[in-house]
């Protein structure tokens, strides 16, 4: 698990939002987020065994300034956190924080006209983000294709960013944004 540089996340909306993360075409993680929950707290489980693998918890009720801690449930290790950058209607930015709380990267919405259209017209317009390393260098991308099924791909340079942080972080961002 988390040995690849490409991942796919599929989302299914029902009473809550369900996510399935794929690596190499095989499902590796599943998650469920309840609707209308003020303080985020959701778990990602091993797709096959159902065993909890990651726990994500917001550090505050107001998500405008929250950091979403990502904990490896097997080891208790803090993988890192995702923190929303300065609020902007035009372009959303999230910091990726390492286990020590230092900035190890950013996830930045990269198509401003599409982002504005998505906010003003419809969330059916596909989103795209670029993943940057600690010095702003491009190290990956998160992109959605227009489809009746909600799914997006994550491509990542795993020598720069921990794939657990980037992939679980992408699910967290999707849950925050309710894409």
């Amino acid at each position: 698990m988390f040995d690849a540089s490409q991942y796919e996340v599929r989302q299914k909306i029902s009473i809550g939002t369900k996510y399935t993360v794929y690596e190499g075409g095989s499902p590796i993680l599943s998650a469920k987020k309840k609707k209308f929950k003020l303080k985020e707290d959701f778990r990602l489980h091993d797709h096959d065994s159902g065993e909890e693998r990651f726990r994500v918890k917001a550090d505050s009720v107001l998500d405008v300034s929250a950091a979403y801690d990502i904990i490896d449930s097997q080891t208790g290790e803090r993988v890192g956190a995702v923190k929303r950058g300065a609020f902007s209607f035009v372009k959303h930015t999230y910091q990726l924080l390492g286990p020590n709380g230092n900035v190890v990267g950013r996830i930045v919405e990269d198509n401003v006209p599409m982002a504005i259209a998505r906010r003003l017209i419809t969330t059916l317009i596909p989103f795209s983000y670029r993943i940057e390393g600690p010095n702003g260098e491009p190290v990956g991308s998160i992109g959605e294709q227009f489809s009746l099924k909600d799914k997006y791909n994550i491509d990542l340079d795993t020598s720069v960013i921990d794939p657990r942080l980037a992939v679980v972080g992408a699910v967290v961002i999707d849950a925050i944004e309710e894409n």
Side-chain angles (χ1 to χ4, degrees):
M1 186 179 298
F2 292 106
D3 296 323
S5 60
Q6 295 183 322
Y7 299 86
E8 180 179 272
V9 178
R10 296 181 192 167
Q11 181 181 3
K12 183 178 181 183
I13 298 177
S14 57
I15 294 172
T17 304
K18 296 178 183 178
Y19 297 93
T20 304
V21 177
Y22 293 80
E23 178 180 11
S26 298
I28 59 169
L29 293 174
S30 300
K32 189 174 8 176
K33 177 191 171 276
K34 295 178 182 173
K35 292 281 187 189
F36 309 115
K37 209 163 178 194
L38 285 178
K39 189 168 182 173
E40 300 299 334
D41 180 8
F42 63 97
R43 317 294 168 111
L44 290 94
H45 297 87
D46 183 281
H47 186 76
D48 293 330
S49 71
E51 194 173 340
E52 183 179 308
R53 292 300 307 260
F54 296 96
R55 182 175 63 246
V56 179
K57 189 165 178 112
D59 66 356
S60 69
V61 174
L62 295 175
D63 80 347
V64 172
S65 62
Y68 297 86
D69 289 322
I70 300 168
I71 308 295
D72 183 317
S73 300
Q74 306 292 301
T75 64
E77 167 194 19
R78 182 176 189 257
V79 174
V82 175
K83 183 173 176 65
R84 188 189 298 258
F87 180 76
S88 170
F89 178 76
V90 176
K91 187 186 217 178
H92 292 173
T93 301
Y94 293 86
Q95 293 180 327
L96 296 174
L97 307 176
N100 309 0
N102 55 324
V103 177
V104 297
R106 294 184 329 148
I107 296 178
V108 181
E109 202 165 17
D110 67 351
N111 189 326
V112 174
M114 294 292 271
I116 292 170
R118 189 171 33 264
R119 287 169 190 54
L120 294 175
I121 300 169
T122 179
T123 58
L124 295 176
I125 296 171
F127 65 86
S128 65
Y129 291 88
R130 74 178 173 275
I131 303 172
E132 299 176 346
N135 299 319
E137 72 279 12
V139 296
S141 63
I142 304 169
E144 181 182 39
Q145 301 299 318
F146 184 75
S147 165
L148 295 177
K149 293 183 177 184
D150 194 7
K151 65 180 180 178
Y152 51 95
N153 296 311
I154 302 167
D155 293 307
L156 184 63
D157 179 346
T158 59
S159 68
V160 179
I161 301 284
D162 182 339
R164 300 173 303 164
L165 177 59
V167 173
V168 175
V171 173
V172 170
I173 291 168
D174 190 88
I176 294 167
E177 298 289 334
E178 296 183 349
N179 287 325

